[in-house]
Amino acid sequence: MMAASRPRATLPIGVAHFSSIMLPPAEFAKIAGRAGFSRIGLRLHPAFPGAPYYELPVGSAAAGELKAVLAGEEVEVFDIEFFVIDPSFDASSVESTLAAAANIGARRLSVCGDDQDHARLLSNFSDFCVLAGRYGLAVDVENMGWRVVKAFEDSIDLVRGAGIENAGVLVDGIHFFRNGAALAELRANLDKVKHVQICDVAGPAPTKPEEMIAEARSGRLPPGEGELPLRDLVAVVGTAASISVEVPLVGSVAPEVHLKHLFNCAERMVRPDR
């Protein structure tokens, strides 16, 4: 049965699975859609050892259930997380995940670069993009302060070095500003930016890797509740890239309440008149 029609933002707004990672994909899609989101990201590959993720093999009951929910709630899967391109990375080893991503209608994959050997990093990233392309998927590099590809300019350099059409850059609010990037850099490289995740933060920027990790995983705030110039960021991006929000649920707030609040905050960013 089709869900009752709900107000939507003029521009589609997505939400990352990490915002309520305890929810299985179908339940996350349902709650996100009813909160107002048009798109979701899903975590189908662990971001780090022991990190939560979900499997949706092609032809599985779980994949079928998700597809039914997506159709009923008028929600689409935009991106799939998360692949770490480190020295041991082998694109062929995750092909089943790419097939699963394509099967549920995903468009893009998110990666980070964590290999000091730049030639190998570039080669593995390129191989991954080629493989993703066979499934109709694109690949976005997200910079992180504790990784080798730690600054926005590093992600741009990797994508331009690969020179592959389906390679792009993911700008995350925390990682972009906390690692020294300026909006002028974003404006100059907007042709490579395909996905922007907005979130907020307050206080001095952490300098130690463990502190950066802690902030990224449990210190994010909903857009507009911290100190980052997110309105300026969104204004620069305009309609050039997809917008989503990523703020992990911390504490005892119900997922329904958390996701609805995130949607309201994100909508105020993309529609200042609201």
Side-chain angles (χ1 to χ4, degrees), residues 114-223:
D114 206 18
D115 188 348
Q116 293 284 358
D117 185 329
H118 183 75
R120 183 174 56 204
L121 172 63
L122 183 59
S123 177
N124 282 333
F125 174 66
S126 298
D127 288 347
F128 190 56
C129 289
V130 170
L131 181 60
R134 294 176 189 160
Y135 288 91
L137 297 163
V139 181
D140 295 323
V141 181
E142 180 178 2
N143 69 283
M144 299 179 179
W146 62 93
R147 305 284 191 183
V148 172
V149 178
K150 64 181 181 179
F152 174 67
E153 64 180 340
D154 298 329
S155 59
I156 290 292
D157 288 346
L158 183 60
V159 168
R160 293 201 183 280
I164 299 177
E165 186 176 358
N166 67 332
V169 169
L170 189 164
V171 168
D172 178 289
I174 282 185
H175 302 314
F176 182 82
F177 290 111
R178 289 304 212 191
N179 292 292
L183 291 175
E185 295 175 68
L186 175 61
R187 192 176 290 109
N189 293 284
L190 203 52
D191 63 311
K192 294 301 181 187
V193 176
K194 307 301 180 183
H195 185 190
V196 173
Q197 289 181 329
I198 55 175
C199 58
D200 224 327
V201 71
T207 57
K208 298 179 180 179
E210 61 271 21
E211 295 171 346
M212 295 177 185
I213 292 171
E215 180 179 68
R217 295 178 185 169
S218 60
R220 296 175 186 243
L221 300 173

Side-chain angles (χ1 to χ4, degrees), residues 92-107:
S92 65
S93 70
V94 295
E95 185 168 2
S96 62
T97 303
L98 272 58
N103 178 58
I104 57 175
R107 301 184 188 183

Side-chain angles (χ1 to χ4, degrees), residues 31-45:
I31 294 176
R34 295 180 181 182
F37 292 104
S38 303
R39 295 171 172 171
I40 59 170
L42 290 176
R43 183 69 64 84
L44 301 190
H45 194 263

